[in-house]
Amino acid sequence: MAEQRRSGGGGATASEHILVVFPGYHRSWAAWIEQCLERHGHRATLHRWDPPREVPLEDSLGDLLLSSGRVLLVLNDWFFELGPRPAGEWNDALRGFVAAHADRFAAVNLTNRPLLPATAVLEPASLWGLSEEAVEERLLARLGLAPLPTPRNPATRVRFPDTRCDVWGEVPRRNPRFTGRDDLLTTIHQRLADAEHGAAACTLLGMSGIGKTQLAAEYAHRFSTDYDVVWWVNSDDRNIQRDRFGELAVELGLRSGSEPGERIRAVRNALRRGDPYQKWLVIFDGWDDTDGADSLLPQGSGHVLITSRNRAWSERTDAVEVPGFVRAESVAYLMRRAGHINAAEAEEVAAEFGDVPLPLVQAASWLGESGMEVSEYLRMVRERRLSTVDEPVTGDGFPQSSMTSWSILLNRFRRAQPQAIDVLGLCTSFAPGRIPLGLIRAYPHADLPENLRWMTADLPAWSRALDTLVKYSVLTRETRGPAGMEMGPHQESVHMHRLVHDIVSKLTGDDQRDSHRRAVRTLLAEADPGNPHDSRNWPRYAELLPHLEPSGALESTRPRVQETVLNCLRYCSRSGEYTTGLNLARRTRERWAAFLPPLSPQMLDLTREESTMVRVSGRFREAYDLDRAVLERLQAAPGTNPLAELTTQGAMASCLRHLGRYDEAYALQHEVLEGTDHLLGPNETATMVARHNLGVSLRLLGRFAEAYELDLENYGIRESVLRARHISTLNSSSAVTHDLRLLGRYRDALARQEPTVRLHLQVLGPQHPQTLGARTQLVMSRRRGGGPTHDIGPEMASLLDELAQVHGREHYRTLAFLTNYGNYLREHGDLSHARELIEEAEAGYRALLGPAHPVATGMLANTGLIMQAAGERAEAMSMFEAALAGLTATLGPDHPWVLGCALCTTGARNFNGRIADAVELGRDTVRRTRRTLGGEHPLTLSCQVALAADLRAAREHEEAAKLEEDALLALTRTLGAQHPHTLSARQRTRPYWDFEPYLG
């Protein structure tokens, strides 16, 4: 089918019309030639040409002459394989029809390979290996066209085809045998081009082996001139997918840390902004699991192409069904690969395999390499039924006959290249997709099974076996390493299609399976860097993780393999891959429970990692129950394991804090600190962690001064033992800032947090979860510090967006900042937006924590402030009273949250005419804040200012004046004369308190 596109010269008169005839394979050259001609004032029409084999060639060439003007053929050796047609037919047409119309035909040649002899009649101008300027000159000369002195500049310039786009990432090599699919590729390109801005995502759907990956790769090559960035992401495994997508941050020159989630967020932001590139294409190959897609799919001015078997993508993206070859494509492919077969024979083979590309590739490889007659090949396929295979390998319609075809191939390997079978058997003990096969080169020779030792001892045999498997399309070589680095022998990887993996697993015997799996899991253990806390090792763990289960590593009783499994779990926990980590933890528990005691060190470590990921995910009750069950077993077991008990109690205390049981959490955490200090000493990691968490408990209890002293002590110890740039030291520095801010020492908090955030950015990157927490402390210190707060609005909006990307909109850390930003907006007059955010946060906390949790209760005060600002005074008072009663019942009357809520309640009573009630509550609140927080804390002074206002309303002017004067002097002394609190008090603006949610 022809693809035609006319383009005019914008209003200038074109001196000549050129029909540019090209095979779809060379679309990029045709587009550039079209632009070149138009720049010099000529009119061009693109005509993609793949005439049916059944139509006589002279007729098809004659159709081209129906166009006005010259016909320019874009040639290479591929041009003459279209159809395909016998060389004699082309030579006859060139010598006859084309020669008779030589004045209408011209040609350019894109290859240095020989063309058909009769091509000389076209006098093709060779464009091979020339610069863009030289190609332009030679093209115009061949057509006899004079160049314009000043060529026109097109609105959108097409890149010269021999110039690779600025960023080109691991796109598979172009398949020189790619056949047909031209209409499908044109459809994909048109759909992406026509999509709305930010929604240009297309999914290629189809069963395994249908050719989705080849189609995506050909799209990337064929339309590469449309893009400045083309990035390929293998997506068979979620961790490798995330790691690979995150590597684009380096290529784009983005500032980010090494944690995958942080890099992903940086990449998505850059692509959304179109900075530094607006024209980009990201291809996710083999993305079948749609969970978490929203946090990975980029949006913006570029395009996304996905290949998948999962039809759920049709609900998220534009979807294109990838069918099998049409029969003409199947026949053409087979005839090109196996030159000795005719069209009828090729059609018979195509019918046998249902026009499914993958088995056709294997059949063509076999026929082409062996030279076997089609009748003999089909007889073997049809008659040799395998007793080991009773059903099709997959449930998506893969032809059973292909199983026999693969069996024939494997039997040939067994006879002619048995070492290829060894490599295949080893590959099936990895997961499908990317296989780090080069690990075998680092394997201790003596530890390998005897039948595999040749792999490390005989490099030529290893290379021959791989070459054979690649030649027969069983494996493909990965050309670059996971970080975009050139690979040495130890980093060599291959790619095994999922369907090939399934088929070969079925057809290779089980006699060597156990030894292969044992070798692979030992390989994985050998490749374990041994330190999942170091983010530089995370790409390696992402590569190892998908192969744990297929290799049998989860069932292994070897301590070293078990430690690798635990290290992969620790990687998931540290890098934020909680979903993957939890799934791995649960699968591991199922296996280990069969042979490991529940209180073995491995099971305790497993539970600790699982509990951490459950808790950080926001499932606090589930994590607490998990830890409590372990503690009960430890306490009931004969003998003692005091460190394990203390570690488990520390985890339980963390859960209790998140559950709002602050007194219990404090008591348990205090016990843990005393125990670890006694057992290990004050400077050990476990003791420092316990001390930090006790500071968290004190903060939640409102004992800010004690928390500050403890956090400051811990910071000093960590700085001395771990050094200033250690992640834990940085966390302690932020904790000290938090304490200072809660103590009302806003300027001290700000001065401390600015360098702390700079260190976080340097060490962890801007979007590491801990960095986001540190940045939150900084922006809140700026807000409370009373500087130019109007400048922090955009910063807060941006930070909220980043938190939502990292954690999700409903995560408790996002909800906390959602609340803080809502309070800021209310304070600065954007009441509508503020109400939306506060309502969202309140609903989120209620769903997460339940309505009785102190944080969910405290959120009522923020809702009351919104209502009060909107003039809904009675409703606001109801909210404040409910919050005050609820917080008093759970936290006691002296907790700072209760005192702040009481301050708001006094204002509501005053506004609603209940002056005496406001004075009574105000007097009590001032007494309690002085006792709890001190006479010069900002909350204490705000309560004094509020009480003075209520006393004036009650006509007790003398007492009101004294309270107000004392408060103004103290505010000026502690916060400064220009601080908003001081200015508001001087202007007699009623003070309020907004609730800042904190779970620990």
Side-chain angles (χ1 to χ4, degrees), residues 922-955:
R923 290 187 190 279
D924 182 63
T925 303
V926 167
R927 285 194 298 271
R928 293 183 185 279
T929 52
R930 285 173 176 166
R931 184 170 63 244
T932 301
L933 299 172
E936 295 196 337
H937 191 281
L939 180 57
T940 304
L941 299 176
S942 292
C943 290
Q944 280 187 225
V945 171
L947 178 57
D950 294 333
L951 288 169
R952 277 197 304 274
R955 304 184 183 279

Side-chain angles (χ1 to χ4, degrees), residues 132-147:
E132 183 172 8
E133 293 77 11
V135 167
E136 184 171 332
E137 180 180 349
R138 189 166 291 188
L139 170 68
L140 294 173
R142 175 62 187 88
L143 292 169
L145 303 175

Side-chain angles (χ1 to χ4, degrees), residues 231 233 237-248 258-260 263-264 296 482-483 538-540 542-543 571 577:
W231 196 253
V233 181
D237 176 81
R238 183 173 185 269
N239 289 282
I240 292 176
Q241 176 196 41
R242 288 172 58 79
D243 188 66
R244 174 64 190 148
F245 184 50
E247 287 167 7
L248 182 52
S258 56
E259 189 265 322
R263 285 185 169 189
I264 287 167
L296 201 61
W538 290 351
R540 170 63 80 178
E543 188 176 38
Y571 148 73
E577 299 291 344

Side-chain angles (χ1 to χ4, degrees), residues 214-377:
Q214 286 291 322
L215 189 64
E218 175 61 21
Y219 180 91
H221 287 280
R222 185 170 297 193
F223 296 99
S224 62
T225 53
D226 290 4
Y227 302 102
D228 297 319
V229 176
V230 178
W231 196 253
W232 187 278
V233 181
N234 287 326
S235 302
D236 289 328
D237 176 81
R238 183 173 185 269
N239 289 282
I240 292 176
Q241 176 196 41
R242 288 172 58 79
D243 188 66
R244 174 64 190 148
F245 184 50
E247 287 167 7
L248 182 52
V250 178
E251 299 294 332
L252 296 179
L254 306 179
R255 292 184 58 189
S256 67
S258 56
E259 189 265 322
E262 182 181 333
R263 285 185 169 189
I264 287 167
R265 290 182 287 276
V267 169
R268 293 184 74 218
N269 284 335
L271 297 181
R272 186 185 72 249
R273 295 192 308 267
D275 181 17
Y277 299 104
Q278 289 189 339
K279 297 188 293 183
W280 49 263
L281 170 67
V282 178
I283 300 173
F284 295 94
D285 182 42
W287 194 354
D288 290 334
D289 183 3
T290 60
D291 289 345
D294 291 340
S295 64
L296 201 61
L297 272 178
Q299 295 179 331
S301 57
H303 297 164
V304 176
L305 195 59
I306 300 165
T307 74
S308 181
R309 298 176 300 174
N310 188 344
R311 300 192 176 278
W313 281 111
S314 60
E315 300 173 5
R316 295 173 174 265
T317 66
D318 191 7
V320 173
E321 187 74 30
V322 180
F325 280 150
V326 297
R327 184 56 51 83
E329 291 172 336
S330 300
V331 169
Y333 180 78
L334 288 162
M335 291 177 68
R336 276 195 287 269
R337 290 295 305 273
H340 66 287
I341 72 174
N342 60 38
E345 291 170 328
E347 185 153 348
E348 193 174 2
V349 175
E352 184 69 29
F353 293 104
D355 295 299
V356 177
L358 185 62
L360 283 175
V361 167
Q362 190 272 320
S365 298
W366 172 271
L367 289 165
E369 293 292 333
S370 68
M372 180 181 287
E373 293 299 320
V374 168
S375 59
E376 176 64 13
Y377 175 73

Side-chain angles (χ1 to χ4, degrees), residues 881-898:
E881 296 283 4
L884 179 60
L887 288 175
T888 302
T890 54
L891 302 177
D894 293 331
H895 193 286
W897 290 357
V898 176

